[in-house]
């Protein structure tokens, strides 16, 4: 068993209203006071932001001094206490990290949720640096912004580089459970979904067939660091300076094209893992993915919008990088023309700088991504997940390949917990692609990922579109 001296003890903390006692109960045994003093506290809280001129009740993850999320460094232990200060159970998943499975934060799979007033402790080593994030895996809390950046600094950073974090979110004033109920109720009858129900009967999508279905939730706003383009965050940068832009797509359902405008950026990592650098002005980013992009700013004072355009749509959000006293022009929240759907063109070109060692797969699981739009049921191999679905068997030490075949007309960003994987094949073409934790599988296409079974336990594998996940596009893998 991996080190687990202080994993989730949420179940012990069920006596609500007794936070000091709960804290005492959850303190790991045998740990010194020094060690406890160095523990980073994350508080799950209610907060209010303003969206489209109206107050919006959302969640937030803050340290006691107000710091959002966590910035730490490789070599530091991940030594964290999560305190639940909201009025409902919650549990955080450390997206992209490889903790012991009991600390992975998936309710019902890794650990019970933390009750209101309770807390849970996390202790594990950080194996690698990069741009990661944390989000609730409890119910639909992620839609209400129970999420935050999780940045692990390492030696790829340059001393003269200014770090800029761009967190993207989709936002609705409709409560998430009503959004979900609406999707279930309306999916067969909405005018713009005419014909969907018959087409979506399992497995009808084919490569090159009709246009994909995109954006099945109609959002009120798209946020960049909690703000819209009506009042975007303006970040001061140095003329001629260097920026490391860490983009996190924390949206529940929305994929984007990141648009650097007149700048070009050097993509150096995806999902935290280094890739052979690539210069471009536009990059696709699917739900839950991250992009690390280096920018070299021109010497003239100017304002540089960094925008994210919703795929298949005209709506956009973003931030502004401003040098000196540059005037900031108002940026429209729609573009002139609709953007295309995300493709796998960039994914095919990405190459990991530290690929998995070449090896034949010891085990292959084929996972058809399936769905029934009429009933809004999403599934894997036509099984919508429930507690009776057995975990996919694998064994410790194996090289495992997961073959994902998207038989639906929607794109699915598929996420494996607890392991980094490598993209090794798209539509029959083998290559040593990016190492990452979330890969988009577009309609009709086949994507193969490989990983080493080096972190035993019970692990989630699922579509990261929140309502697809909740509707059943989820399964587990298990080994000891
Ligand atoms: Cu999906």
């Amino acid at each position: 068993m991996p080190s687990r001296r202080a994993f989730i003890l949420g179940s012990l903390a069920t006596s609500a209203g007794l936070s000091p006692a709960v804290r005492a109960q959850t303190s790991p045994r045998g740990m010194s006071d020094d060690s406890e003093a160095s523990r980073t506290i994350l508080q799950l809280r209610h907060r209010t932001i303003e969206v489209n001129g109206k107050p919006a009740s959302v969640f937030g993850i803050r340290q006691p001094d107000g710091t959002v999320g966590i910035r730490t460094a490789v070599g530091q232990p991940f030594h964290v206490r999560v305190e639940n200060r909201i009025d409902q159970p919650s549990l955080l998943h450390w997206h992209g990290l490889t903790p012991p499975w009991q600390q992975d934060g998936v309710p019902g799979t890794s650990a019970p949720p933390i009750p209101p007033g309770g807390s849970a402790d996390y202790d594990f080593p950080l194996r690698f640096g990069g741009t990661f994030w944390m989000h609730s895996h409890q119910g639909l809390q992620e839609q209400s912004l129970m999420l935050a950046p999780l940045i692990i600094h390492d030696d790829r950073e340059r001393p003269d580089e200014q770090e800029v974090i761009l967190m993207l979110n989709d936002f609705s004033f409709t409560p998430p459970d009503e959004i979900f109920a609406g999707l279930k109720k309306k999916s067969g009858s909405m005018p713009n979904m005419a014909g969907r129900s018959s087409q979506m009967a399992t497995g009808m999508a084919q490569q090159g067939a009709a246009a994909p279905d995109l954006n099945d939730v109609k959002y009120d706003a798209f946020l960049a660091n909690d703000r819209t383009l009506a009042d975007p965050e303006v970040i001061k940068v140095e003329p001629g300076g260097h920026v490391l832009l860490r983009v996190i797509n924390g949206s529940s359902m929305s994929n984007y094209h990141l648009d650097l405008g007149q700048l070009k950026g050097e993509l150096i990592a995806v999902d935290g893992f280094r890739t052979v650098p690539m210069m471009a002005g536009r990059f696709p980013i699917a739900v839950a993915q991250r992009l690390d992009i280096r920018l070299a700013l021109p010497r003239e004072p100017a304002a540089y919008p960094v925008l994210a355009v919703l795929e298949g749509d005209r709506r956009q959000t973003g931030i502004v990088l401003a040098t000196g006293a540059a005037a900031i022009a108002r940026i429209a929240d729609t573009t002139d023309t609709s953007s295309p759907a995300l493709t796998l063109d960039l994914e095919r070109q990405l190459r990991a700088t530290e690929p998995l060692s070449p090896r034949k797969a010891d085990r292959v699981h084929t996972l058809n991504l399936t769905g029934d739009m009429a009933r809004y049921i999403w599934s894997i191999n036509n099984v919508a997940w429930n507690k009776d679905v057995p975990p996919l068997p694998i064994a410790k030490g194996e090289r495992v390949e997961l073959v994902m075949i998207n038989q639906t007309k929607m794109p699915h960003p598929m996420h494996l917990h607890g392991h980094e994987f490598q993209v090794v094949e798209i539509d029959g073409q083998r290559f040593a692609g990016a190492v990452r934790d979330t890969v988009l599988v577009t309609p009709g296409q086949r994507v193969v990922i490989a990983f080493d079974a080096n972190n035993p336990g019970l692990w989630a594998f699922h579509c990261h579109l929140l309502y697809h996940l909740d509707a059943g596009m989820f399964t587990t893998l298990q080994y000891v």
Side-chain angles (χ1 to χ4, degrees), residues 378 411-414 463-465 468-469 473:
W378 296 98
H412 303 288
M414 302 303 296
C463 175
H464 219 286
L465 299 184
H468 292 192
L469 158 64
M473 196 176 273

Side-chain angles (χ1 to χ4, degrees), residues 34-69:
D34 280 0
S35 172
E36 276 313 285
S38 70
R39 190 176 282 284
T40 302
I41 308 288
L42 289 175
Q43 298 172 337
L44 313 184
R45 291 189 168 277
H46 293 280
R47 64 190 180 111
T48 303
I49 59 172
E50 192 186 289
V51 181
N52 300 345
K54 290 188 284 186
S57 277
V58 297
F59 297 119
I61 306 171
R62 298 284 185 276
Q63 297 183 28
D65 68 0
T67 303
V68 179

Side-chain angles (χ1 to χ4, degrees), residues 107-125:
T109 301
S110 341
I114 308 170
S119 67
D121 289 351
Y122 300 83
D123 288 279
F124 54 89

Side-chain angles (χ1 to χ4, degrees), residues 464-480:
H464 219 286
L465 299 184
L466 182 62
Y467 303 98
H468 292 192
L469 158 64
D470 224 58
M473 196 176 273
F474 178 100
T475 195
T476 58
L477 299 103
Q478 188 169 34
Y479 60 107
V480 292

Side-chain angles (χ1 to χ4, degrees), residues 140-428:
L140 302 172
Q141 288 171 356
E142 182 197 275
Q143 178 75 85
S144 301
L145 307 185
M146 188 67 95
L147 47 85
L150 200 177
I151 307 299
I152 306 171
H153 296 284
D154 66 9
D155 61 8
R156 85 185 74 172
E157 286 157 45
R158 296 170 177 171
D160 65 338
E161 216 163 45
Q162 179 181 350
E163 178 177 88
V164 172
I165 296 173
L166 168 53
M167 170 68 85
L168 301 169
N169 295 110
D170 41 24
F171 176 84
S172 176
F173 283 102
T174 306
D177 51 341
E178 283 179 37
I179 294 176
F180 193 37
L183 286 167
K184 290 199 153 195
K185 197 164 63 188
K186 285 187 207 155
S187 51
S189 60
M190 274 169 62
N192 68 346
M193 298 199 179
R196 265 188 180 185
S197 47
S198 55
Q199 289 168 8
M200 284 305 300
T202 308
M204 290 299 285
Q206 284 166 15
Q207 197 174 355
D213 274 326
L214 304 171
N215 306 320
D216 49 358
V217 177
K218 300 300 167 212
Y219 284 101
D220 293 320
F222 296 90
L223 308 179
N225 296 347
D226 282 348
R227 293 155 80 156
T228 66
L229 284 172
D231 175 31
E233 184 177 19
V234 177
I235 296 170
K236 288 283 172 210
V237 293
E238 292 295 315
H242 296 270
V243 168
L244 175 59
L245 180 65
R246 298 184 183 272
V247 189
I248 303 170
N249 187 356
S251 299
S252 291
M253 294 294 279
S254 305
N255 300 324
Y256 307 89
H257 300 271
L258 187 82
D259 183 353
L260 300 176
Q262 45 180 307
L263 296 178
K264 289 249 183 300
E266 185 182 37
L267 179 68
I268 59 163
V270 295
D271 298 356
F273 292 92
R274 288 171 225 224
T275 49
V276 175
M278 187 179 291
M279 291 292 294
R282 233 171 130 87
F283 301 91
I285 181 165
V287 165
Q289 293 182 332
R290 286 88 63 209
L291 299 172
D292 285 15
I293 298 171
R294 278 201 169 115
L295 301 174
L297 299 170
R299 296 199 173 278
E300 313 76 56
Y304 303 99
V306 174
L307 301 172
V309 186
L310 181 65
E311 73 165 330
D313 202 282
R314 295 174 53 216
R315 285 180 295 170
Q316 62 181 357
T317 186
I319 57 173
V320 179
L321 306 180
T323 58
I328 316 280
R330 173 79 186 254
I331 304 160
D333 62 4
T334 54
T335 56
D336 294 338
T337 52
S338 204
S339 77
L342 260 59
T343 68
L344 301 181
D345 291 353
L346 178 68
E347 198 67 58
R348 281 191 188 86
Q349 295 172 51
L350 291 175
R351 294 293 180 273
T353 58
E354 292 148 86
L356 267 60
S357 60
R359 184 174 158 188
K360 221 169 155 297
D362 301 298
R363 191 184 301 258
V364 178
H365 285 297
T366 298
L367 304 170
N368 294 292
L369 311 181
T370 45
D372 179 348
M373 181 58 105
R375 293 186 295 152
Y376 211 78
I377 291 171
W378 296 98
S379 51
I380 293 175
N381 290 337
N382 293 309
V383 177
W385 195 77
N386 60 74
K387 294 218 179 290
D388 298 328
V389 177
L392 294 167
I394 60 179
K396 190 177 177 186
E398 287 181 338
R399 167 67 53 87
V400 181
E401 291 193 3
L402 302 180
V403 179
M404 295 170 284
I405 303 166
N406 186 347
Q407 299 188 342
T408 78
K409 300 191 80 173
M410 295 203 77
H412 303 288
M414 302 303 296
H415 172 49
L416 175 64
H417 285 232
H419 306 74
E420 68 273 30
F421 61 72
Q422 186 172 19
V423 178
V424 294
E425 184 182 322
I426 296 178
D427 290 339

